[in-house]
Amino acid sequence: MLSQPSLRMKRLLLPVLLLLSVVAAPAGQAQTAPARLVPFRQGTRWGYADHTRRLVLPARFDEAGPFVEEIAWVRLGQLYGYIDGGGNPVTPLQYTRAGNFRQGRATVELSGETFTIGVSGRRLTEPALPEPEEDPLEQGDVVRKDGKVGFRFTVGTASVPAIYDEIRDNYNGLLFVRVADKWGIINGRGKLVQPVQYQTIRLTGNLAFPVVQLAGLFGYLDAEGNRLTDLRYRQAEPFAEGVARVQLPDGQFGYVDTSGREFWEEAPTSGQ
């Protein structure tokens, strides 16, 4: 049982620790609960489905974005706007460009002018908060030998021999390693879980699910460094709120979730 001074100290330390955990979280790496709805394409029209692929908001848009901070961009014709989780408009369909929300702000273009709006749809004038600086290697220390680099983990006894040309950290227990122009993946136990064969590994955005490229096609790895999807997409964007936008070989777009499930079908099913 804690003494009274210990309890007081615990109460004082808890807010400080919580604040430090927020400040220390690198930009783009914080994991949040997946959005309730996922953009779903039926043929060439877009609506929103739940995570079982059941359509919830009808496919009536020409394009749709993910729900980030409970707001999603949609497009009809050449114009974009924003909706809430019930499909209700947050802004008119008036923008010629619109992006996802981030920290309560989204970048839009209207009449040739680019600016930011808040979650109410109103134009913002105050500058955005600066992004926290990222520590490229927070799990341990680089070891250098004969012009090559290895790695020594801070926690545990695992180490990586100095045989690589570059090592990067994804803040989620994985290391990205490069030899010449090829990349591989090492897990937190120092084991090579993906061979050094990929043309690229995405080093920006949400790195809990790395984007990898091989033979000109993209796919995703899971948080353990295993294959989450096949490498069959022409484009693959970082995950946001549990979903990621991909381009298929036929040029069409769709979304995948963190289990690798795909959210599109080429023709509407009967009764929808």
Side-chain angles (χ1 to χ4, degrees):
M1 182 174 179
L2 292 174
S3 65
Q4 289 301 317
S6 297
L7 285 171
R8 284 196 296 271
M9 181 63 71
K10 186 176 181 181
R11 292 191 187 103
L12 288 171
L13 283 175
L14 183 58
V16 175
L17 292 173
L18 290 174
L19 177 61
L20 288 174
S21 69
V22 172
V23 172
Q29 308 308 315
Q31 296 301 298
T32 58
R36 181 177 63 88
L37 298 179
V38 180
F40 190 90
R41 178 174 60 81
Q42 287 187 329
T44 59
R45 303 289 279 176
W46 288 78
Y48 287 86
D50 62 20
H51 282 267
T52 68
R53 301 178 81 250
R54 179 181 65 87
L55 201 65
V56 176
L57 299 181
R60 61 186 184 89
F61 301 107
D62 292 320
E63 195 175 4
F67 276 97
V68 180
E69 300 183 13
E70 300 184 3
I71 298 176
W73 60 261
V74 292
R75 178 176 64 84
L76 275 175
Q78 300 300 312
L79 297 179
Y80 295 81
Y82 292 87
I83 62 172
D84 63 19
N88 306 303
V90 175
T91 72
L93 291 162
Q94 62 181 354
Y95 304 112
T96 50
R97 188 164 60 89
N100 294 336
F101 272 86
R102 180 180 175 84
Q103 297 182 346
R105 310 170 69 95
T107 300
V108 297
E109 182 181 79
L110 179 63
S111 301
E113 183 183 8
T114 299
F115 54 93
T116 58
I117 61 173
V119 292
S120 66
R122 300 185 65 177
R123 182 169 178 162
L124 300 177
T125 56
E126 67 273 15
L129 294 174
E131 297 283 2
E133 292 185 6
E134 298 185 11
D135 180 358
L137 287 169
E138 67 171 15
Q139 299 182 79
D141 302 302
V142 171
V143 177
R144 303 181 186 277
K145 182 179 180 181
D146 300 328
K148 298 292 185 178
V149 293
F151 195 77
R152 180 172 54 249
F153 289 91
T154 303
V155 177
T157 59
S159 63
V160 175
I163 58 174
Y164 300 102
D165 294 319
E166 184 180 358
I167 294 180
R168 297 287 298 272
D169 191 335
N170 82 329
Y171 306 97
N172 202 56
L174 300 177
L175 297 176
F176 302 149
V177 295
R178 178 178 62 83
V179 174
D181 61 349
K182 297 293 190 292
W183 290 85
I185 297 280
I186 291 176
N187 66 17
R189 297 180 295 279
K191 178 183 177 182
L192 190 69
V193 291
Q194 289 293 332
V196 181
Q197 64 177 353
Y198 296 104
Q199 293 166 266
T200 59
I201 295 179
R202 187 74 48 78
L203 297 178
T204 58
N206 185 335
L207 300 183
F209 300 93
V211 178
V212 294
Q213 181 186 21
L214 184 63
L217 295 176
F218 294 89
Y220 296 91
L221 306 180
D222 65 17
E224 301 298 322
N226 304 307
R227 287 277 183 91
L228 178 68
T229 70
D230 293 334
L231 275 65
R232 69 186 194 93
Y233 304 118
R234 288 170 55 177
Q235 296 180 32
E237 299 179 6
F239 273 84
E241 302 294 325
V243 297
R245 186 172 183 257
V246 297
Q247 185 181 32
L248 303 175
D250 64 2
Q252 294 268 37
F253 287 90
Y255 282 80
V256 298
D257 69 8
T258 55
S259 67
R261 185 182 294 112
E262 298 177 332
F263 286 80
W264 63 82
E265 56 188 28
E266 297 309 324
T269 56
S270 60
Q272 292 186 343

